[in-house]
Amino acid sequence: MRILAIETSCDETAVAIIETEGKPPRARVRVLANVVSSQVKLHAKFGGVVPHLAKREHQRNLVPVLLRALRNAGVVSSKLKSQKSKPQPKTQNLETDKLTNLQTILEREPDLFARMVQGVLPMRAPKIDAIAITVGPGLAPALWVGVNFAKALAMLWKKPLIPINHLEGHIFANLLPQNWRSKNFQFPVSSFQFPALCLIVSGGHTELVLMRGFGKYRVLGETLDDAAGEAFDKVAKMLGLGFPGGPEIARLAGRGNARAFAFPRPMLASGSFDFSFSGLKTAVFYTLRGLGKLGVEQKRNIAASFQQAAVDVLVAKTVRAAREFRVKTVMIGGGVAANRELREQLGQSLKKALPAARYLTPDVPLTGDNALMIALAAAFGKKKTARDTSRVRADPSMRLGAVS
Ligand code: KG4
Ligand code: ZN
């Protein structure tokens, strides 16, 4: 089974191609291509992701990213359809139909339409079995470009579509062992043991998800205000650091004293598995106002103390949920899962509290948005293949477990 996956839910334009054999725990997967084109530099100027600019960039980047992925994977049948022989009237009609359909599907993405006519229409269908596409949650204009692109490819190449929840993708990034890059060919995929728990922490989400089986999700708790990554980004802004702020905070924090400032640990003692980060962010704001102009040392200490407060809450709730539901696997996902303190401190706490549980962390380059995780979710999750692609829609506020 060969799956081509597309991800455009936020500011990353990504296409991946994988080849799989068997089912977990014996499944094997070969990563044929994993291309990510980031728009982060563009959005950094605005201090956050601007949805209509994200849409414009996805329209520009999708075709080149797709072509690069197909080339890397070596799955293109032949570069162009033969243009030597005079086209028969029947094939000519078919081509006209395709063009009309393409125009209809990409009615709202004229720039992408033009690029597809040039770069994709003359190509033969590649040797793939299905196209996986992120349908939500995410930014509506960004999601729709990807969804319409996937529908267009499905129509041109006569392939089924697999709609995927973006958060499920973050969970499935944990399936690949850390050394997946160093192996040239196939490798076994370590399977999740159920019940499993995943802490999803990104710029848009903070959720604790219990997984009782493939496709069986229960959201135990989520943020009531800011997402964890959003809090990192906002505090970074207050400190005059660039966007995205998470990596910048982590870098500064590495040289600071995490006990220098006693920031609050919001909802740490509450019985629920929900989170709240806006109070923590406000506490940092007032502390900064009181301090006036900051020295380097103070900046480092603020960053370290803020990071520790956020990590404390995330670790405590994850460990409590892991114990309460007696999970066999604990994992993390999303951009904030790149945070070394979070990864390490969660690992240490789990070792003490639940030594038998398996702790999986995704390879750092796979913590942020990518299409490889979408391909894995499509291959190993409980997916529904949509043969009638007209019914596939973007769902910006999609919940885990909701299969479109
Ligand atoms: O998953 P992701 O790439 O995109 C979303 O779906 O939001 O997550 C991006 C978020 C940003 O808020 C970024 O600041 C944060 O992940 N992030 C980090 C780190 N690396 C990225 N936060 C804390 N520590 C990091 N090392
Ligand atoms: Zn994400």
Side-chain angles (χ1 to χ4, degrees), residues 10-12 44 54 65 78 105 125 135 204 207 224 240 242 260 283 317 333 338 357 372 376 387:
C10 193
D11 60 342
E12 251 80 46
V65 167
S78 88
I105 296 170
V135 288
E207 291 188 9
L224 304 177
K317 298 226 174 198
L372 178 51
L376 291 168
R387 295 218 164 253

Side-chain angles (χ1 to χ4, degrees), residues 166 170 202-204 229 232-233 244-247 250 334-336 338-339 367-369:
H166 178 80
H170 278 305
S202 72
F232 271 84
D233 293 340
V336 187
N339 189 282
T367 53
D369 293 344

Side-chain angles (χ1 to χ4, degrees), residues 338-390:
N339 189 282
R340 214 175 66 197
E341 287 304 316
L342 174 62
R343 290 165 89 97
E344 288 179 3
Q345 293 185 32
L346 181 57
Q348 284 158 8
S349 296
L350 283 168
K351 218 181 245 173
K352 278 190 219 139
L354 237 98
R358 194 157 177 214
Y359 178 48
L360 302 176
T361 52
D363 189 23
V364 172
L366 297 181
T367 53
D369 293 344
N370 61 85
L372 178 51
M373 67 186 196
I374 302 302
L376 291 168
F380 302 114
K382 205 173 169 203
K383 77 268 176 183
K384 257 194 187 162
T385 303
R387 295 218 164 253
D388 176 7
T389 60
S390 66

Side-chain angles (χ1 to χ4, degrees), residues 281-336:
K281 174 192 71 187
T282 312
V284 176
F285 176 77
Y286 283 113
T287 304
L288 285 174
R289 217 168 63 167
L291 288 172
K293 197 166 162 32
L294 292 184
V296 184
E297 191 75 24
Q298 271 175 321
K299 263 194 187 181
R300 289 177 181 157
N301 290 345
I302 295 255
S305 303
F306 158 76
Q307 176 177 268
Q308 191 55 51
V311 167
D312 275 353
V313 182
L314 293 169
V315 168
K317 298 226 174 198
T318 308
V319 171
R320 187 155 61 78
R323 285 173 84 149
E324 192 166 319
F325 294 93
R326 299 203 182 119
V327 303
K328 293 189 177 148
T329 314
V330 180
M331 43 197 165
I332 52 176
V336 187

Side-chain angles (χ1 to χ4, degrees), residues 20 30-31 56 97 110 118 161 219 261 267 370-371 381 393:
T20 66
R30 204 172 137 192
V31 180
R56 186 191 77 187
D97 282 355
Q118 231 192 358
L161 277 186
V219 179
F261 293 90
M267 298 187 71
N370 61 85
R393 300 179 56 81

